[in-house]
Amino acid sequence: MKKVFQTQIYLNILIAIIILINYHTVKDWIYFGILVVAVLVNKNKKISQPINTVLIPMIFIEQVSYLSDILIQHFSKMTLLIFGIYAVGTIMVLIPVTIVEYGKIKKPIWRLIASVWMINVIIMYCDPLTLKKVNPDSFLMSLNKSGLVYALAILVYVYFAVKSWGYEFCFNLPTFKGKKLQLLSFIIIFGIAIWLSFFQTFSRFAQRWQELFWNWDFSLLDPTESALLKNAWSVFLYSIEAGIGEEATRYINLVLLLVIFKNKKWQINGAVLGSAILFALPHIGNAFNSELKQTPIATVFQVIDTFGFGCFAAALILYSGKLWPTMIIHTLCDILVFSETPLTQDDVGIFGGNTGSLIHVIISLVLWVSFAVFILIKNRKLIKQNAKILTKVQKTDLTIS
């Protein structure tokens, strides 16, 4: 894999030259210089590892996008094919550097910092392609803007990073195999979480107590008339993107925090709270998202709300040993939010206005956190068992030779 990584650097130097010919920006010159330096200091580990860990992944993933933009400009009739190559390239481009350089990181705290950098800075804030000649309401445009490609890149990064450190990647740990009562308990918890997702949405614009808990008006939800996004494609793709990318991020944060707090009595609680904080804080960026048009006060409420959900989702991963349930619930929550029509934006419900919104957020926070506490206390033995499986160092077939 080392040879693949080195070959990739040389290839990206060639790509950098192509990009410079077309764009001539200072940023592109800097990227070209960093790639050249990476080749020159290759044998000096003290210098090469920081460069390869901090800067090279950013260059790799951005150059896939830049090169794709150039190709689309010159071969607009092949936009769909180029987009497909761009998507595959983006998803796969970070595998060598993850195995070779991130796999070398030994201390769990540095692994966590490196992962936060990789996901929240390098991958999450990449710009989508420039598709000028594509219908703005088309599936392709919605897919491009949704960031689903980058969410899949996060999932791939998490898989290879976790495996390269010797940990198990438990997308579907058979926790309840042969245990009917525990399986039934999991199904009930999963069902309650789905109900809470609907409650959280409808409680924002309920006008009577009956509408708060059960008599929900589903006509207020319509993905084709979203108050936040342009079309139904965007509603579903943005939601799937969040479900995959953010839950994969939660998984790696949770595993690393469990390792960091391994010798602490509050290992599990600390990992749950820590992962919830790391999940909530990046949502501050939504205040600067031009498409979502979110106000600062709404962003603050969202950060509080996502912290509560983050506690529950972390507890559910530890309890079930599975990643897919939180992906489904997270996706559902976002579909419901993004499907809200303009009629829900008038703040006419019993939770109307900023004060009402704060009350709603506090109620949601209490419900999600209480649910998480219930799971953690009720299933402590099983959760400890799963935590050991998640953090047990095993032999890995990923090598850096």
Side-chain angles (χ1 to χ4, degrees), residues 41-322:
V41 301
N42 176 45
K43 295 183 179 180
N44 189 326
K45 292 183 179 180
K46 290 184 178 180
I47 300 176
S48 65
Q49 189 172 13
I51 293 175
N52 293 341
T53 303
V54 177
L55 301 176
I56 292 299
M58 181 183 298
I59 297 172
F60 279 0
I61 199 165
E62 286 196 11
Q63 284 190 338
V64 171
S65 179
Y66 295 162
L67 181 61
S68 300
D69 271 332
I70 293 170
L71 291 174
I72 288 174
Q73 289 175 23
H74 289 84
F75 308 99
S76 59
K77 293 183 179 180
M78 301 175 66
T79 295
L80 186 59
L81 175 61
I82 295 170
F83 184 89
I85 296 172
Y86 148 79
V88 174
T90 299
I91 293 168
M92 306 294 287
V93 73
L94 297 176
I95 293 176
V97 70
T98 298
I99 296 173
V100 174
E101 295 298 343
Y102 280 63
K104 291 178 183 177
I105 303 173
K106 299 300 181 184
K107 292 185 178 181
I109 185 63
W110 285 112
R111 289 173 174 174
L112 179 62
I113 293 171
S115 289
V116 169
W117 172 258
M118 173 69 91
I119 294 170
N120 295 102
V121 178
I122 295 177
I123 300 178
M124 290 292 284
Y125 287 97
C126 284
D127 294 325
L129 293 184
T130 304
L131 303 178
K132 293 181 179 178
K133 297 184 179 181
V134 176
N135 184 342
D137 294 323
S138 67
F139 172 81
L140 183 60
M141 183 64 81
S142 297
L143 175 61
N144 181 45
K145 286 189 174 183
S146 72
L148 180 56
V149 170
Y150 294 112
L152 293 172
I154 291 173
L155 181 61
V156 170
Y157 162 74
V158 169
Y159 174 83
F160 282 99
V162 168
K163 295 286 284 185
S164 67
W165 294 326
Y167 303 125
E168 186 69 33
F169 181 81
C170 302
F171 187 79
N172 186 41
L173 189 68
T175 305
F176 310 115
K177 188 175 182 179
K179 301 175 182 178
K180 294 182 179 179
L181 288 177
Q182 288 187 351
L183 177 60
L184 178 61
S185 176
F186 166 70
I187 293 173
I188 293 172
I189 288 173
F190 189 73
I192 294 173
I194 291 176
W195 181 88
L196 277 175
S197 301
F198 281 94
F199 168 83
Q200 185 178 26
T201 298
F202 284 101
S203 61
R204 287 185 55 251
F205 38 85
Q207 298 183 58
R208 298 188 302 271
W209 285 105
Q210 292 88 338
E211 294 177 352
L212 178 64
F213 292 106
W214 60 84
N215 191 24
W216 296 328
D217 184 0
F218 283 90
S219 67
L220 295 173
L221 301 180
D222 186 350
T224 63
E225 298 291 337
S226 172
L228 297 173
L229 298 174
K230 290 183 178 180
N231 53 50
W233 286 124
S234 294
V235 168
F236 293 111
L237 291 170
Y238 271 70
S239 302
I240 295 171
E241 176 267 323
I244 293 175
E246 293 184 1
E247 291 309 314
T249 302
R250 188 189 322 284
Y251 182 91
I252 196 169
N253 289 343
L254 190 58
V255 169
L256 292 173
L257 286 168
L258 284 170
V259 176
I260 291 170
F261 301 143
K262 193 169 186 178
N263 298 319
K264 307 293 184 182
K265 291 182 178 179
W266 39 268
Q267 176 201 23
I268 292 172
N269 294 340
V272 168
L273 290 172
S275 65
I277 292 171
L278 290 173
F279 167 60
L281 291 181
H283 286 81
I284 294 173
N286 286 342
F288 308 98
N289 188 312
S290 60
E291 187 161 8
L292 293 179
K293 300 175 183 178
Q294 192 161 281
T295 64
I297 188 66
T299 302
V300 172
F301 291 158
Q302 186 184 31
V303 170
I304 297 172
D305 190 40
T306 50
F307 170 78
F309 178 80
C311 290
F312 160 76
L316 183 59
I317 290 174
L318 289 176
Y319 162 64
S320 66
K322 308 174 193 299

Side-chain angles (χ1 to χ4, degrees), residues 24-35:
H24 310 291
T25 68
V26 174
K27 183 179 182 181
D28 295 322
W29 277 107
I30 292 173
Y31 280 4
F32 175 75
I34 292 171
L35 288 167

